[in-house]
């Protein structure tokens, strides 16, 4: 018989399996035989007499079930070691191993300290061994007891999870056991739910037929089987398109799985079951297996979730319903509009903040987080919905408080809600200024360590920095420029994008001093790095920043006087690079802005290479590049400006005027207008 290792605290010890009938050579704990303590049977657990040991185990089982005090006694006096010795020994009678396993399962339902004691003894491999027991009816009872104990441990959150579901043979064995008792079905569904941690686990479970097995369990007449089956199904299909497609096409007894789930959302079903079925259908939709236009989603699921947000339901149900509703409607405008007018949803969600004040802290946070999440999704696209949400009494105050909440989940949900509402131009000019939302937002950005928080908060800041937002000036005073320049140096592409995007918005129609601060804080070296960024959106926003910096003649001339050589190098870098027409169009527009300056024009006119590039892009196959190049030419030759005749002569010499003559017959109306405007600026046109 091989050695059995287990942990006691941080120390690895060896447990010697002790068959009943064999002399025990380890030191037994000493127990007082006070008849009042009610535990004289403890010593008989160590007896070599099978009958005495079994009787003692039954007495101990009856004592520990329902009593944390008795569980504590067992843990404190090291009796767990003996119980583990019993279940680890193959020669111990099955009846004895069953009782020992049941006791361990009861201890697993005790306090966190009790659970940790079991986990530290490395009990899980022994329970897996019990699950794999093969034999007669007695062995089946041992398997069931092992499953129940394993389920309780994995549910606790204190035992390691995620490894059992990677064992293909064990998964297959568990699914085969679903044909056994109701208790086993409940335990197995819960075990698989706890163990399914990765897409690979989802795929493995699906490959072994878990979707079909769970579909069968959903048709069970026992609700206590259906509920864990729903939880397991939700875990398997979540954000996994392949498994979700398999689930959408699964059936049992001639009934498709989506229809089975729909029937479980009926109003005469328990509220928890309605909610769990709605979650499964929500996950099927978001994974791409059911479309938003499908009546199961648009009609049944949406209606069920909005109904469960009603004030008459349990707060726990309401919180999960709102979270699920937020996920269901997050990306679809039609679902957002439909949900906003169903079952007084916006009014009901607003009441969550009142309910939260009457609840214990964990549920307080859950209710607030759920309300923010749902509001964020509902207001993502439609201005009328945003208006209804913002006009909800006290909502903006709740958001400001939410941004400062002690719960990370509430803070993130509040930021998402604020980000969604910040897409409203009208609200940026009024409500947001009245409630000074930028103060806690900037505080979060300065001190947050969570990348998700920084990403959403910086996205929101992009909107608050738009030219028409009154929040722009006070945000600048709080050090936004340095903060945003710092984001452009982050390794996360989303943060680099938000940083440069916000700087671009900040530079739009800004004063010269703000533009100078941006250039100084960002630096030309960082601009070059951003122009070489692998993320095209970062590149585009960097070019957008340069365009906004180079606007209005005095600003153009001053910036080019200080940074002209580097800016021209940056533009040439883009024009010569392997970039899309959209990217090169932005570079040509920057040249057009430079050409609109007074002294800045010289940076183009004295650079023959750039002039040749302009002529080349005038005849490009992309109309948008032709238009941008000709716009630049127009600014260079504008006849009302000093030195226009010399510039016209230089461009004529390079054949630019002849190219315009060739383009005058274009059928593209926009291009024709630009060509005509440019030609009228030449003195002899």
């Amino acid at each position: 018989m091989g050695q059995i290792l287990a942990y006691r605290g941080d120390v690895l010890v060896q447990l010697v399996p002790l068959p009943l009938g064999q002399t025990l050579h380890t030191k037994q704990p000493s127990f007082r035989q006070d008849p009042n303590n009610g535990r004289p049977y403890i010593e008989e657990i160590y007896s070599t007499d099978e009958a005495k040991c079994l009787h003692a185990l039954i007495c101990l089982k009856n004592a520990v079930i329902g009593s944390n005090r008795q569980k504590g006694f067992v843990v404190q006096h090291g009796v767990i070691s003996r119980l583990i010795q019993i279940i680890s020994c193959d020669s111990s009678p099955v009846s004895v191993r069953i009782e020992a396993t049941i006791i361990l399962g009861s201890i697993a339902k005790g306090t966190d300290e009790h659970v940790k004691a079991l986990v530290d003894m490395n009990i899980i491999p022994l329970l897996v061994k019990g699950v794999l027991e093969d034999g007669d009816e007695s062995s089946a009872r041992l398997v069931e007891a092992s499953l129940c104990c394993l389920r309780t441990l994995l549910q606790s959150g204190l035992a390691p999870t995620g490894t059992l579901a990677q064992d293909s043979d064990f998964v297959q064995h568990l699914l085969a056991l679903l044909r056994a008792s109701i208790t086993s079905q409940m335990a197995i569904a819960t075990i698989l739910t706890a163990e399914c941690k990765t897409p690979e686990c989802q795929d493995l479970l699906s490959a072994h037929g878990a979707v079909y097995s769970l579909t069968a369990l959903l048709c069970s007449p026992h609700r206590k089987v259906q509920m864990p089956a729903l939880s397991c199904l939700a875990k398997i299909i979540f954000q996994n398109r392949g498994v979700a497609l398999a689930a959408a096409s699964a059936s049992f007894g001639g009934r498709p799985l989506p229809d089975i789930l729909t029937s479980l959302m009926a109003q005469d079903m328990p509220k928890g079951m309605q909610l769990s079925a709605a979650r499964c259908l929500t996950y099927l939709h978001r994974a791409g297996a059911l479309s938003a236009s499908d009546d199961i989603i648009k009609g049944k699921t949406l209606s069920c979730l909005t109904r469960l947000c009603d004030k008459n339901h349990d707060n726990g149900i309401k919180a999960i319903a709102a979270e699920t509703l937020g996920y269901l409607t997050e990306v679809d405008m039609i679902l957002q509009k439909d949900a906003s007018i169903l079952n007084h949803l916006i009014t009901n969600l607003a009441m969550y903040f009142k309910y939260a004040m009457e609840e214990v802290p964990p549920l307080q946070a859950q209710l607030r987080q759920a309300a923010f999440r749902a509001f964020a999704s509902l207001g993502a696209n439609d201005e009328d919905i945003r208006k209804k949400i913002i006009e909800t009494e006290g909502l903006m105050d709740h958001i400001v408080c939410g941004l400062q909440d002690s719960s990370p989940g509430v803070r993130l949900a509040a930021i998402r809600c604020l980000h969604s509402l910040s897409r409203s131009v009208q609200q940026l000019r009024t409500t947001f200024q009245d409630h000074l939302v930028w103060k806690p937002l900037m505080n979060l950005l300065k001190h947050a360590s969570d990348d998700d928080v920084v990403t959403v908060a910086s996205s929101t800041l992009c909107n608050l920095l738009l030219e028409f937002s009154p929040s722009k000036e006070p945000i600048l005073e709080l050090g936004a420029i340095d903060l945003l320049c710092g984001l452009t140096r982050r390794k996360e592409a989303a943060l680099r994008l938000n940083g440069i995007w916000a700087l671009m918005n900040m530079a739009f129609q800004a004063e010269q001093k703000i533009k100078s601060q941006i250039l100084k804080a960002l630096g030309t070296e960082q601009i070059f790095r951003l122009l070489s960024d692998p993320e095209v959106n970062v590149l585009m926003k960097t070019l957008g920043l340069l365009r906004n910096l180079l606007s209005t003649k005095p600003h153009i001339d001053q910036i080019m006087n200080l940074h002209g050589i580097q800016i021209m190098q940056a533009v040439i870098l883009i024009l010569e690079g392997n970039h899309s027409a959209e990217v090169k169009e932005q570079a040509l527009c920057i040249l057009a802005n430079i050409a609109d300056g007074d002294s800045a024009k010289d940076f183009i006119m004295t650079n023959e290479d750039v002039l040749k590039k302009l002529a080349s892009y005038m005849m490009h196959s992309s109309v948008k590049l032709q238009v941008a190049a000709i716009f630049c030419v127009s600014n260079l030759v504008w006849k009302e400006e000093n030195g226009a005749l010399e510039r016209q002569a230089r461009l004529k010499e390079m054949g630019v005027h002849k190219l315009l003559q060739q383009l005058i017959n274009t059928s593209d109306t926009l291009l024709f207008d630009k060509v005509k405007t440019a030609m009228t600026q030449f003195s002899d046109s």
Side-chain angles (χ1 to χ4, degrees):
M1 185 178 300
Q3 65 177 352
I4 298 173
L5 300 178
Y7 281 96
R8 284 183 183 168
D10 295 327
V11 181
L12 189 66
V13 299
Q14 180 177 344
L15 300 179
V16 181
L18 184 70
L20 292 174
Q22 180 177 321
T23 304
L24 179 68
H25 296 293
T26 56
K27 183 180 179 181
Q28 290 182 216
S30 176
F31 300 100
R32 288 176 21 203
Q33 292 299 313
D34 181 357
N36 294 324
N37 69 15
R39 304 187 188 103
Y41 50 81
I42 289 291
E43 288 191 353
E44 293 188 351
I45 292 174
Y46 293 84
S47 172
T48 58
D49 185 302
E50 294 178 4
K52 286 184 177 180
C53 182
L54 178 60
H55 175 73
L57 288 170
I58 293 172
C59 290
L60 180 59
K61 175 184 71 175
N62 294 335
V64 299
I65 290 176
S67 173
N68 279 347
R69 187 170 65 86
Q70 298 285 2
K71 291 179 177 68
F73 175 86
V74 171
V75 172
Q76 182 181 354
H77 288 82
V79 182
I80 290 178
S81 297
R82 172 57 176 159
L83 296 173
I84 287 179
Q85 284 180 327
I86 291 172
I87 69 170
S88 66
C89 183
D90 293 336
S91 61
S92 296
V94 173
S95 58
V96 173
R97 290 160 63 195
I98 290 171
E99 296 300 329
T101 304
I102 292 173
I103 294 168
L104 291 167
S106 178
I107 294 170
K109 294 179 180 179
T111 65
D112 288 353
E113 181 184 348
H114 301 156
V115 176
K116 288 175 183 175
L118 294 175
V119 173
D120 288 346
M121 296 294 288
N122 201 26
I123 190 176
I124 288 180
L126 298 177
L127 294 173
V128 170
K129 179 184 173 185
V131 171
L132 296 173
E133 183 82 12
D134 191 18
D136 56 15
E137 184 177 339
S138 295
S139 297
R141 290 181 57 222
L142 176 59
V143 169
E144 184 177 285
S146 300
L147 284 170
C148 290
C149 185
L150 185 59
R151 169 195 61 191
T152 304
L153 286 171
L154 296 179
Q155 266 187 315
S156 70
L158 299 172
T161 57
T163 56
L164 299 181
Q166 297 175 17
D167 185 334
S168 180
D169 292 338
F170 186 65
V171 168
Q172 203 164 2
H173 185 75
L174 284 181
L175 293 174
L177 289 174
L178 286 173
R179 295 188 294 269
S181 65
I182 292 171
T183 301
S184 294
Q185 291 171 350
M186 295 163 55
I188 291 168
T190 306
I191 290 168
L192 293 178
T193 302
E195 283 291 307
C196 188
K197 296 285 187 181
T198 64
E200 291 75 22
C201 288
Q202 292 173 318
D203 293 338
L204 178 64
L205 289 169
S206 179
H208 283 296
V211 171
Y212 175 80
S213 297
L214 292 169
T215 304
L217 293 186
L218 293 181
C219 296
S220 167
H222 304 285
R223 287 176 177 170
K224 59 185 179 181
V225 171
Q226 292 173 310
M227 286 300 294
L230 284 168
S231 297
C232 188
L233 180 64
K235 196 71 173 288
I236 291 175
I237 62 179
F238 182 63
Q239 295 184 344
N240 190 315
R241 180 174 172 80
V243 178
L245 289 171
S249 61
S251 63
F252 182 79
R255 298 176 64 200
L257 175 58
D259 290 349
I260 295 171
L261 291 171
T262 301
S263 68
L264 296 178
M265 290 192 299
Q267 294 191 47
D268 59 347
M269 290 290 181
K271 298 299 182 292
M273 185 171 292
Q274 294 180 43
L275 179 55
S276 295
R279 285 178 64 213
C280 289
L281 289 165
T282 294
Y283 294 169
L284 286 174
H285 162 61
R286 288 301 306 273
L290 292 176
S291 73
S293 60
D294 192 315
D295 187 60
I296 289 178
I297 297 299
K298 181 180 66 174
K300 305 293 195 311
T301 307
L302 197 64
S303 177
C304 175
L305 289 172
T306 56
R307 185 176 67 246
L308 292 174
C309 291
D310 185 82
K311 62 182 179 181
N312 295 320
H313 299 305
D314 176 78
N315 283 342
I317 292 287
K318 287 201 289 278
I320 299 173
E323 279 275 359
T324 308
L325 181 67
Y327 186 58
L328 176 66
T329 60
E330 189 173 24
V331 297
D332 191 274
M333 290 179 62
I334 303 300
L335 291 179
Q336 291 161 9
K337 288 183 178 180
D338 289 349
S340 69
I341 59 175
L342 279 174
N343 297 310
H344 308 288
L345 178 63
I346 292 177
T347 302
N348 286 332
L349 290 173
M351 293 296 293
Y352 279 35
F353 301 105
K354 178 183 176 183
Y355 305 143
M357 297 171 65
E358 303 165 356
E359 283 290 354
V360 294
L363 192 49
Q364 282 182 6
Q366 193 178 2
L367 283 164
R368 287 195 294 268
Q369 178 177 324
F372 286 138
R373 173 72 186 273
F375 279 140
S377 294
L378 293 174
N381 294 289
D382 188 271
E383 183 67 17
D384 290 337
I385 298 175
R386 280 195 285 263
K387 189 172 184 294
K388 288 180 183 176
I389 293 171
I390 289 175
E391 289 176 351
T392 301
E393 184 179 356
L395 178 64
M396 292 305 298
D397 292 328
H398 289 304
I399 291 177
V400 171
C401 291
L403 294 174
Q404 304 166 81
D405 199 279
S406 60
S407 165
V410 173
R411 289 198 301 272
L412 180 57
I415 298 169
R416 291 190 187 282
C417 185
L418 183 63
H419 178 238
S420 180
L421 300 178
S422 71
R423 294 170 179 156
S424 168
V425 173
Q426 179 61 33
Q427 303 309 324
L428 282 175
R429 287 175 169 161
T430 55
T431 308
F432 279 35
Q433 181 64 14
D434 294 340
H435 290 83
L436 305 180
V437 295
W438 44 268
K439 285 188 175 180
L441 185 68
M442 283 295 293
N443 187 58
L444 270 175
L445 274 169
K446 287 181 177 180
H447 301 106
S449 57
D450 183 274
D451 285 348
D452 286 339
V453 170
V454 178
T455 300
V456 184
S458 55
S459 292
T460 308
L461 194 61
C462 287
N463 294 340
L464 296 183
L465 286 169
L466 290 169
E467 181 270 336
F468 49 76
S469 170
S471 304
K472 187 171 182 177
E473 287 300 323
I475 289 174
L476 287 171
E477 293 171 3
L478 288 176
I481 291 177
D482 288 338
L483 188 151
L484 294 171
C485 288
L487 290 182
T488 69
R489 297 179 174 89
R490 293 287 294 268
K491 64 179 181 178
E492 300 86 359
L495 295 181
R496 294 198 305 277
L497 175 61
N498 287 347
I500 197 65
W501 197 334
L503 288 170
M504 183 188 77
N505 287 349
M506 186 185 295
F508 182 69
Q509 296 186 0
E511 298 176 4
Q512 177 61 39
K513 65 175 184 179
I514 294 175
K515 293 181 179 181
S516 297
Q517 288 173 22
I518 293 173
L519 277 169
K520 182 179 179 181
L522 191 59
T524 52
E525 288 187 11
Q526 179 62 9
I527 290 175
F528 274 102
R529 279 192 287 269
L530 293 169
L531 290 175
S532 302
D533 199 284
E535 293 291 329
V536 68
N537 287 332
V538 173
L539 169 57
M540 287 288 283
K541 297 306 176 187
T542 306
L543 292 170
L545 169 62
L546 289 175
R547 284 187 68 181
N548 288 348
L549 290 171
L550 294 165
S551 61
T552 72
K553 287 182 182 293
H555 296 178
I556 294 169
D557 290 335
Q558 183 173 347
I559 290 173
M560 290 301 292
N561 183 50
L562 294 172
H563 308 285
I565 294 174
Q566 295 92 334
I567 290 174
M568 291 300 294
Q569 288 174 343
V571 172
I572 293 170
L573 175 71
I574 298 301
L575 292 177
E576 292 182 346
N578 183 25
H579 298 292
S580 66
E582 288 74 19
V583 171
K584 293 191 174 186
E585 178 188 22
Q586 292 298 309
L588 289 170
C589 288
I590 292 171
L591 283 181
N593 284 16
I594 294 171
D596 191 41
D598 289 330
S599 61
K601 286 181 171 67
D602 293 341
F603 282 94
I604 299 175
M605 294 305 301
T606 58
N607 192 322
E608 187 169 350
D609 182 46
V610 172
L611 292 175
K612 287 180 179 179
K613 283 180 168 56
L614 282 174
S616 173
Y617 281 110
M618 286 174 65
M619 305 305 291
H620 199 277
S621 58
S622 169
V623 173
K624 65 176 64 178
L625 294 183
Q626 289 180 287
V627 168
I630 294 169
F631 182 44
C632 182
V633 169
S634 292
N635 286 347
L636 288 173
V637 300
W638 204 260
K639 57 188 176 184
E640 297 175 359
E641 296 182 346
N642 292 332
L645 291 176
E646 291 81 357
R647 290 190 294 274
Q648 291 173 16
R650 178 77 176 100
L651 291 175
K652 278 185 178 181
E653 182 184 325
M654 295 192 67
V656 170
H657 189 263
K658 288 183 179 179
L659 294 177
L660 289 171
Q661 290 175 327
Q662 293 176 33
L663 292 169
I664 197 65
N665 295 319
T666 179
S667 59
D668 187 282
T669 55
L670 179 59
L671 180 58
F672 173 80
D673 289 341
K674 294 298 181 183
V675 171
K676 184 177 179 181
T677 300
M679 290 188 68
T680 58
Q681 298 308 310
F682 282 88
S683 58
D684 59 350
S685 296

